Amino acid sequence: MPTSLKLIFAGTPDFAATHLERLIAGPHEVVKVLTQPDRRAGRGKQLQASPVKNMALSANLPVWQPDSLKSDEAESVLRNAAADLMIVVAYGLILPAAILTIPKLGCINVHASLLPRWRGAAPVQRAIESGDRETGVSIMAMEPGLDTGPVLSTHSMTICDHHTGGMLLGELAALGASALEEDLRDIESLLLSAAPQQHELAKYAHKIDKAECAIDWNEDAEALWRRIRAFNPAPGCYTLLGEDRLKILSAHIETGPRSGAPGDILSADDRGLRVRCGEGILVISEGQLPGAKALPIATLINGHRDRLRPGVQLKPPGTA
């Protein structure tokens, strides 16, 4: 196998762009980049290119943005690229079986979990939410099943109490990019020795639903703390302060006497907003009200002292 491979790269978000950037700087030739079509986003709902598209265009790489790969056109485009290998990183489209066999060495995927622990759309967030103490990246040979292919290599790291979903995803992107660079040096041998997954151990990391972001104060404080970290920065957890959504960006937990009802503000000062939960106390240290920027909770309290005072009850949506 030549030291320089001809690669197709398929990916969309920042996590994928980190991998593409490392490939561009390396010895291999990226002959085509696939990414999701431009989407409308932001307050003005303007069309925005994906981070992968921006990275590819800055390097003068050819970009293709199909709505689907289930077409004769897709097969033709990818065959004409005459690639040795296709690398898929958080692409967002399913690769049909016919596509997987087009590159000479097939297709590999960089996945942000220690497979088979978390398959699916949100492995980083689900790992934090579930209280996992370890995660990592897996590089696997792709097959028609969802994240079911044999694993070429795994690279682990510790999940710490300070990790948010965004922070952990950034660290895993750097880890994955280095792991991919290393694996490409011996890709043929790794493909031949790839280990089948233990499918009975697999868990599915469901895409995050907006309904999950609403805080239910009847839950345990530790479960809420993990979810707040997991869903930060997006989509973010929130509670209702009157009729306004108070987005909770940072918090920690305390034990204490079971006074008041779930959702009651027990105290509000420079140390945080202490809120009674079903079990334990959640101390909110950073929050954001609609139309305002994220602020330390002490600053929010100073500006909304009547609303954020002991005795006020924070509520989930749909409650009276």
Side-chain angles (χ1 to χ4, degrees), residues 210 238-247 288-290 317:
K210 289 183 179 180
Y238 71 92
T239 187
L240 286 187
L241 177 62
E243 295 183 355
D244 289 334
R245 288 190 178 193
L246 173 62
K247 191 173 183 180
Q288 184 176 14
L289 285 168

Side-chain angles (χ1 to χ4, degrees), residues 5 27 43 47 60 90 97 113 188 190 196 214 222 254 274 301 306:
L5 298 167
R43 291 185 178 179
L47 280 176
N60 296 313
S113 85
E188 280 193 297
L190 288 172
E222 183 172 353
E254 284 185 4
R274 298 172 69 250
I301 291 170
D306 287 341

Side-chain angles (χ1 to χ4, degrees), residues 11-14 16-17 20 33-39 47-57 63-65 90-91:
T12 299
D14 286 317
L20 177 59
V33 173
L34 277 62
T35 191
Q36 291 262 350
D38 297 357
R39 307 292 189 197
L47 280 176
Q48 293 187 12
S50 73
V52 162
K53 180 179 180 179
N54 289 330
M55 177 69 65
L57 293 178
V63 176
W64 189 41
Q65 297 175 271
Y91 179 32

Side-chain angles (χ1 to χ4, degrees), residues 217 228 237-239 241 245-252 254 265-275 282-289 293-310 314:
W217 295 104
I228 288 164
C237 288
Y238 71 92
T239 187
L241 177 62
R245 288 190 178 193
L246 173 62
K247 191 173 183 180
I248 303 173
L249 301 171
S250 182
H252 61 274
E254 284 185 4
I265 297 176
L266 303 179
S267 66
D269 53 37
D270 289 351
R271 293 170 297 176
L273 196 70
R274 298 172 69 250
V275 185
L282 188 74
V283 186
I284 303 171
S285 53
E286 185 179 12
Q288 184 176 14
L289 285 168
K293 62 182 180 180
L295 293 171
I297 202 68
T299 305
L300 268 181
I301 291 170
N302 286 336
H304 301 271
R305 195 167 295 277
D306 287 341
R307 304 180 72 193
L308 295 170
R309 68 181 189 279
L314 304 176

Side-chain angles (χ1 to χ4, degrees), residues 106-149:
C107 303
I108 63 172
N109 174 244
V110 182
H111 184 72
S113 85
L114 298 175
L115 289 169
R117 173 59 178 168
W118 291 110
R119 296 172 178 171
V124 175
Q125 293 90 340
R126 298 306 182 193
I128 295 175
E129 185 186 22
S130 295
D132 291 5
R133 303 309 300 177
E134 184 181 49
T135 187
V137 292
S138 301
I139 299 180
M140 65 177 170
M142 295 183 70
E143 59 181 31
L146 179 63
D147 300 331
T148 59

Side-chain angles (χ1 to χ4, degrees), residues 27-102:
H28 308 292
E29 180 187 3
V30 181
V31 295
K32 186 168 287 292
V33 173
L34 277 62
T35 191
Q36 291 262 350
D38 297 357
R39 307 292 189 197
R40 296 191 182 277
R43 291 185 178 179
K45 297 299 181 183
Q46 299 295 313
L47 280 176
Q48 293 187 12
S50 73
V52 162
K53 180 179 180 179
N54 289 330
M55 177 69 65
L57 293 178
S58 70
N60 296 313
L61 296 176
V63 176
W64 189 41
Q65 297 175 271
D67 290 315
S68 169
L69 295 178
K70 298 176 181 178
S71 67
D72 292 340
E73 180 192 11
E75 291 188 38
S76 177
V77 168
L78 296 180
R79 287 189 191 282
N80 289 339
D84 296 307
L85 184 71
M86 183 169 176
I87 298 169
V88 180
V89 186
Y91 179 32
L93 286 182
I94 294 174
L95 271 61
I99 297 295
L100 297 176
T101 60
I102 289 176

Side-chain angles (χ1 to χ4, degrees), residues 184-199:
L184 288 178
R185 297 192 185 107
D186 195 25
I187 188 63
E188 280 193 297
S189 295
L190 288 172
L191 285 167
L192 289 171
S193 62
Q197 294 184 42
Q198 293 179 272
H199 301 297

